[in-house]
Amino acid sequence: MKITRCLNSRNPNQFVKFAFVLFLFPQLIFAQSTNIIPLPNSITQTNGHFQLNSNTVIGVSDNSLLPQANYLQKELKLIGLTVPIDPDEKKATIDLKLVGNTEAIGAYNLKIERKHITITSSGNEGVFYGIISLLQMAKTQPMASDYSLTTCEIADAPRYQWRGFMLDESRHFFGKEKVKQLLNWMAFYKLNRFHWHLTDANGWRIEIKKYPLLTTVGGIGNHSDTAAAAKYYTQDDIREIVAYAKDRFITVVPEIDMPGHATAANKAYPEYSGGSIPKYENFTFDPSNEKTYQFLSDVIKETNNLFPSHMMHLGGDEVALGIQAWAGRPSIMAMMAKNNFTSLADLEHYFFHRMTDTVLSLNDKILCWDEATETDLPVGKTIIFWWRQNLPGQLTLALQKKYQVVLCPRLPMYFDFVQDKSNVSGRRWSGGLFNNESDVYNFPDKQLPPNEYKSEQVIGIQANLWTETVGSEKRLDYMIFPRMAALSEAAWTDSASKNEASFDERLKTNLSLYDKDGIYYYNPFDPQIHPEAVDFAPVVKSAVMSRHYYLLRRSKSRNHHGRKTNQRHTVKHHHIKTKRKRRR
């Protein structure tokens, strides 16, 4: 049992403290019985129960709430209840109401009485989150024709407005239905930003009609098979997914990576390549070719038409991996001399400014990884994603420059890192550090100084899943769940209200929901129930010699974990391939 493991591991007096906390705060026991993740900031229990059954009627105070009423109706049908909607509220036993106060976006009040449930908020998003809390209380019960809900009053609001999850589909592609399933779970956990990494070195995954080769050629291959058939999302697919997310109050943010990680695009249109060096073939776009800027501006504009978020992530990271290819090109040298640039970094910043100007012309915000902090981008229109926890100065600099910041450091917010010391596939940091569910839950309070994570410029947190070692839906699930649940409480619940022991008990009730949805998850309470799902890992080909070779490879791989240019060693089709791995 995970709680016992935690109590025994670090502090032998923790059990006594935990019992004392429960003695002083019995409402925490009730909070567990509500089985809501993320934990609401205020729960007041009353004596009684509401019977949720087929006699229940949903009502709305405003026709704008009908989409939320329909969502509740459909979700109740999935647990066996067919309930009507009364737009006039006359017969309503579940009443959805808009009220004219000035709460934070997403705040709501849920009041469950013996004969009536009321969900109120100043906005539709808050009403939706009240519905989610109500559904969690029902869904974590055994399926029945009648669900007994404990009467209570919940007053709740999110800690951060950016509660994000990023999926990389360049390295391995998962498709529309899997993305919709992830969006369902994001909504269930009140996450509201889906960062979609659609382009990178391994594959281009978004249709651009003006440049069809980006998908038909650039979409060929993935991280584990360079000859795999082209896979990508059509523009109709994108619109469908964006609309699906919108119904769940999730904003989809596209990422078009530049000027590095451009190999797939350059495979389709080599005239825009910035050149090659060993291990980084055609890794960058050519900043000295004026047509490159027009090409990428066209891509940005067409992408912008598909995503109403008014946000565009341009990457801007790890350009240094391939930037030396620029050094020997006469056109690059001429451009640097013309503009009095003294370093390739100056040229990189010039390129990034040119592309951000296109984004700004579309009235979009610029999103970028923390390398772009060095570039003087417009304050108020730029969001920096701090990912390099080994470079805390980048976070400090971003805050000093008054940028808005999303916290997503590799430790503990990268879900491609292993989550258990017994795992064999996935990343580790120096010293063998990895990202278990507990570390995700306790972020950022136990990892960063209060003056940073409490800064008004920190708008939220995000977990990122890079997919070098994730090629199947089974492993995708294993790496995400239940860490997504821990992420939700880290992003939503005030630090003063968080309680990890309570979270563990509530999480247990979610495991059966994963089972019902076909999710293959890591079980932190008994890891043996679901052995690690491994897609790409060393394989013993034969006895003695292969065993020695395997151990040698594994030793080298472990020595490299956490370096900026570490490598991943993968065996596929009974032979060993050495994969280039980016630092990110």
Side-chain angles (χ1 to χ4, degrees), residues 106-119:
Y108 68 92
N109 185 280
L110 168 62
K111 188 173 185 179
I112 302 178
E113 301 173 287
R114 292 175 184 267
K115 300 294 183 181
H116 196 260
I117 293 176
T118 307
I119 299 174

Side-chain angles (χ1 to χ4, degrees), residues 131-196:
I131 288 170
I132 293 298
S133 291
L134 178 65
L135 287 170
Q136 287 195 17
M137 294 174 71
K139 286 186 175 185
T140 50
Q141 298 182 31
M143 194 165 181
S145 59
D146 197 310
Y147 296 85
S148 182
L149 306 180
T150 304
T151 56
C152 63
E153 184 166 359
I154 295 173
D156 200 11
R159 178 184 190 181
Y160 291 119
Q161 286 298 324
W162 189 290
R163 305 180 299 280
F165 176 75
M166 190 222 76
L167 177 65
D168 162 28
E169 286 204 82
S170 172
R171 288 164 180 82
H172 288 103
F173 183 88
F174 300 96
K176 186 166 60 176
E177 294 310 312
K178 191 61 182 179
V179 168
K180 285 183 176 180
Q181 186 186 42
L182 288 176
L183 291 171
N184 287 339
W185 281 102
M186 287 181 67
F188 188 78
Y189 288 132
K190 302 186 177 83
L191 300 174
N192 68 346
R193 297 288 188 271
F194 179 54
H195 176 176
W196 210 357

